[in-house]
Amino acid sequence: MDKKSPIQVSVNFAPWQIEEMSLNDKTVVVIDVLRASTTIAMALQNGAKEIIPVSNIESAVKISSSLYGDVTLRGGERNGKMIEGFNLGNSPAEYVREAVDGKSIIFLTTNGSAAMVKGRYAKNLLIAGFVNLTSVVDMLVRLESDFTLICAGQDNKFCIEDAVCAGKIIAAFEHATKMEVLPDDSALAAMALEKSVGKAVLKMLRQSAHGKFLTEIGLGDDLKTCAAVDSIPVLPLLSGNVIRASKENPKL
Ligand code: MLT
């Protein structure tokens, strides 16, 4: 019987350093725990048809004008707050069924949506947070291919919550797969961090810089939503420029 090659797992803590075309043909997971990944999972769970991530306001306006008004919403944030002229902010609590069912949502956030746009040439692009961790890991196990985890970070800097989530995904993947796993040094660092602070996710979010900021501006309840491991078992996949909940396997 053929012995399969080990699965190479890499982590990138700095998405701005990534050369977009280098992701071509790769399986990529974008993580933005606070809060873009969590909000996208919530929107899709509550019936949103699709999320269209954009990296700047000009793209949001341009895409809005080409879509039908009554089925399209604009969601996202700048400095944690809803952008003027948008319908929704970036709080998962806003993305209830009454607001998002059947809607296309143009989505602009400071770090998360930009990292997703950056990954658009990937063969498979999955969106992960703590809330859908097992759904993501199950798909990675089925894909049986090397993968890269991109941590969206915060203002071009490392952030602990995305790194801990990356570590948890790799640990769960190692546990679930029968294949040999070869983590790069960044992946090893993420796993070490997860071992150290990953058991108390909410506490870690409350200690994180962005968690403290969200709490200060009155959005502390979002941390509880973002910390709830496997509470929103959807698998958001980007295909073309659009994120939808997966019903089928991506490109195996
Ligand atoms: C981001 O993309 O930077 C975040 O999702 C920020 C936030 O709204 O908490």
Side-chain angles (χ1 to χ4, degrees):
M1 200 170 71
D2 283 355
K3 189 171 173 333
K4 291 188 175 161
S5 336
I7 304 281
Q8 313 227 15
V9 177
S10 58
V11 174
N12 196 301
F13 296 122
W16 61 97
Q17 290 173 349
I18 294 173
E19 170 48 51
E20 296 180 14
M21 295 314 286
S22 71
L23 301 175
N24 206 345
D25 261 355
K26 297 220 161 92
T27 291
V28 172
V29 181
V30 173
I31 303 171
D32 185 12
V33 168
L34 295 175
R35 296 165 290 170
S37 297
T38 309
T39 299
I40 288 172
M42 184 69 91
L44 294 174
Q45 169 93 336
N46 284 333
K49 183 180 159 213
E50 60 198 10
I51 314 287
I52 305 164
V54 293
S55 55
N56 55 55
I57 198 92
E58 292 74 26
S59 305
V61 171
K62 198 167 155 202
I63 295 171
S64 300
S65 58
S66 66
L67 295 172
Y68 293 109
D70 58 339
V71 292
T72 307
L73 299 174
R74 283 185 296 267
E77 58 70 45
R78 280 293 179 257
N79 299 317
K81 305 256 178 67
M82 189 167 84
I83 302 166
E84 210 185 315
F86 275 40
N87 311 91
L88 297 161
N90 187 25
S91 185
E94 294 173 72
Y95 288 68
V96 291
R97 187 163 289 277
E98 297 68 40
V100 302
D101 197 16
K103 305 283 188 196
S104 297
I105 304 171
I106 299 163
F107 193 64
L108 171 64
T109 69
T110 310
N111 306 282
S113 69
M116 292 162 202
V117 170
K118 196 135 207 194
R120 68 192 179 283
Y121 298 118
K123 181 178 176 197
N124 298 298
L125 189 134
L126 295 66
I127 312 293
F130 289 112
V131 292
N132 66 339
L133 195 127
T134 300
S135 304
V136 168
V137 171
D138 286 350
M139 181 53 74
L140 292 171
V141 169
R142 273 183 298 194
L143 284 169
E144 289 192 344
S145 66
D146 300 344
F147 61 92
T148 298
L149 299 154
I150 297 180
C151 298
Q154 189 64 38
D155 297 328
N156 290 346
K157 291 199 202 111
F158 172 92
C159 79
I160 191 166
E161 65 274 15
D162 294 344
V164 171
C165 186
K168 234 186 219 323
I169 289 172
I170 302 164
F173 177 81
E174 271 198 321
H175 186 73
T177 186
K178 292 190 173 64
M179 306 199 42
E180 189 189 342
V181 179
L182 280 185
D184 72 358
D185 281 5
S186 302
L188 288 173
M191 291 164 83
L193 201 55
E194 193 281 324
K195 268 204 183 117
S196 137
V197 295
K199 293 229 163 26
V201 173
L202 182 55
K203 184 173 170 204
M204 179 272 297
L205 292 186
R206 284 183 171 142
Q207 287 172 340
S208 71
H210 194 56
K212 282 185 188 151
F213 170 74
L214 290 171
T215 305
E216 268 162 35
I217 63 170
L219 296 170
D221 278 355
D222 284 356
L223 272 54
K224 289 188 203 148
T225 307
C226 297
V229 177
D230 285 336
S231 55
I232 311 178
V234 296
L235 178 61
L237 289 177
L238 183 121
S239 177
N241 292 327
V242 171
I243 299 168
R244 294 202 176 92
S246 154
K247 296 190 185 75
E248 286 301 316
N249 285 354
K251 298 154 205 148
L252 292 168

